Amino acid sequence: MSDRIQQMPNQLINQIAAGEVVERPASVVKELLENSLDAASTKIEIDIEQGGSKLIRIRDNGRGIHKDDLSLALSRHATSKIRNLDDLEHIKSLGFRGEALPSIASISRLSITSRQADAQGFKVQGQDEQSAEISPAAHSNGTTIEVRDLFYNVPARRKFLRTEKTEFNHLEDVVKRIALSHFDVDVTLSHNQRAIKQWRAASTQTQMEQRIAAVCGKAFIEQSRYMSFSAVNLKLHGWIALPSFSRSQADMQYFFVNGRIIRDKLVTHAVRQAYQDVLYHGRHPAYVLFLQLDPSMVDVNAHPTKHEVRFREGRLVHDFLFRGIHKALADVRPSGMEAGDVGVAEMATSDTTAAAALQNLQSTMPGVVRYGSPTHQGSMSLQVEEQIKAYANLSSPLSANDSQAVADDIPPLGFAVAQLHGIYILSQTAAGLVVVDMHAAHERITYERMKQSLQNGNLASQPLLVPISLNLSEKEAELAEQQADIFAELGFELDRSGPESIRIRQIPVILARADAQTLVRDVLSDLLSYGSSERIRNAINAVLGTMACHGSVRANRSLTIPEMNALLRDMETTERSGQCNHGRPTWTEFSVDAIDKWFMRGK
């Protein structure tokens, strides 16, 4: 090996660059599809053979490439999307690095055929600008790129390819993500001369949901809600699955930033935090979400494959995502309820109200937390006269003229008709039958009331007789000192005792039995990584959840019809009432049509 420095050949440079950009056939498809979308294409056809290792052909009806630019397209760092530094800091396109085409050409047999409007079509073949051969070719408006024999001249890379089926599955996933990112584009995918998928352009929300159902399954759309949230020049919209549609793995999470699919730990953390109160332990949420923001607020050049981005205001984006999704989940009500209907009605839980139970807990001695176990179920402290009258109307025979009027007056969760095995409430609705798990429902109601009481008052704290010393890194100690106000809001008092140490002087009474040292360390770690943390609030909520569980109506507790109706009305006005604190569903509905099918009525 010579120790002299020399310039590497262009072919080798391109092949090295291909190692960053092209991992498998799916990587090639991603780069080429992004170029087609940047060319304002409204129709894209994708033909694949042998999982992409033999042929990848992508045809679009975009603006096309000028004849004089065809050979330049095979040159490194050549692009039509970047002109100056300002363009680089305000990137609006998907593909911009200027390395994809020459990198792909260096490890395959590539040809580009293109035609612009009112011009003749031309074709270019070659591995770089110097070897490019241009010739006239018949072609409609747009561009066709053929990539044949991928990795034919890099056998070491070709050996790492998996089976044809595996490679095509990866490739299909890429096409699905592209189909979700641009609803206004027709996308057709074929494999080995057989049509596999076809997604028609969608303009209405119903058509968009049909495309999502084709990608994520019909069950996702049936169990999801559309959301839209805007603030501080940020906009988030899309579909979030209900907690009952949680997944065992994070395989149905699509997040797009300005039309670009990404997987970012800050985004994942924010979404996970928003689902914290309603998701069953160990499960993952499902969503198709679109974030739109000023291109200057995000650096999309943080990763060669552009899967990751870097937000210039990470904490702002994190808090925005958390608030938007958290609010959307809280606004999910039984059909017919509006988000503005949420109230804070008083309801007795056991011997004391939720607020009194919280106050009693905070007044206990340090290290001693008592949970009251109810000995009897108190009556619901709500006015139920109107409910009883409505229930009487529901039970009495109705004339044809009165049936519609009464149906319009039936609340979303209907009126209770019976209690089953001391566990479930059976309620008749306008559409059929609702079954409610009364303990799970009451637990959520009690929990939300406790949180509301906590937010309305000051969080009681207690000074420590002996302050807890905590050794940290200098960076963490500085952060703890800078964020002292945040800790103070949550009942902690910290002060710095040295360059790499702090003292915990005060903690919330409700966390008297918690591991304060670990909690503070974890919060500082979150602040460093994401700019915010919900660990202390989550720890407090965990205690409140235990209190709510112990203070809620138990199984085998007999409730009167008015009490059951009062519980149903409270569910309709309580945030996140569809799930208990542990993520279990609180109610389910059976339509009259479904019940008719059980008994084969009409057959």
Side-chain angles (χ1 to χ4, degrees), residues 77 101 201 214:
H77 305 302
L101 286 178

Side-chain angles (χ1 to χ4, degrees), residues 71-216:
S71 60
L72 192 60
L74 300 181
S75 176
R76 295 184 70 238
H77 305 302
T79 177
S80 61
K81 304 158 190 176
I82 303 294
R83 290 288 182 268
N84 49 49
L85 182 61
D86 186 63
D87 290 341
L88 189 62
E89 293 179 349
H90 298 79
I91 293 175
K92 298 179 181 179
S93 61
L94 297 177
F96 65 92
R97 294 179 63 88
E99 296 179 359
L101 286 178
S103 297
I104 295 169
S106 69
I107 54 174
S108 67
R109 295 184 172 91
L110 181 140
S111 66
I112 304 174
T113 307
S114 187
R115 176 190 171 191
Q116 291 187 314
D118 302 324
Q120 184 181 355
F122 287 89
K123 180 178 182 179
V124 63
Q125 290 178 298
Q127 292 189 326
D128 51 33
E129 184 180 8
Q130 287 72 32
S131 62
E133 298 178 0
I134 300 177
S135 58
H139 198 276
S140 58
N141 291 349
T143 303
T144 297
I145 299 182
E146 287 190 2
V147 179
R148 294 183 178 274
D149 302 326
L150 190 64
F151 298 131
Y152 79 97
N153 56 351
V154 192
R157 295 288 303 280
R158 193 177 183 89
K159 288 192 299 185
F160 281 94
L161 293 180
R162 303 302 180 185
T163 64
E164 177 179 326
K165 181 179 179 180
T166 299
E167 293 299 337
F168 181 75
N169 286 341
H170 284 287
L171 189 151
E172 186 179 14
D173 287 340
V174 169
V175 179
K176 286 179 178 179
R177 291 194 288 268
I178 294 294
L180 288 179
S181 68
H182 290 75
F183 289 106
D184 57 339
V185 179
D186 265 326
V187 181
T188 303
L189 174 64
S190 300
H191 186 216
N192 295 333
Q193 289 83 47
R194 184 169 65 92
I196 303 297
K197 297 287 184 181
Q198 184 172 21
W199 295 280
R200 294 295 186 186
S203 56
T204 66
Q205 182 171 327
T206 300
Q207 292 173 338
M208 294 177 185
E209 290 178 350
Q210 290 174 350
R211 175 175 284 200
I212 293 175
V215 174
C216 302

Side-chain angles (χ1 to χ4, degrees), residues 390-427:
Y391 174 72
N393 291 334
L394 183 66
S395 302
S396 61
L398 296 176
S399 65
N401 296 333
D402 294 337
S403 59
Q404 182 60 41
V406 174
D408 293 339
D409 293 335
I410 297 178
L413 290 180
F415 295 102
V417 295
Q419 189 177 14
L420 183 65
H421 294 297
I423 301 174
Y424 302 104
I425 295 173
L426 305 184
S427 176

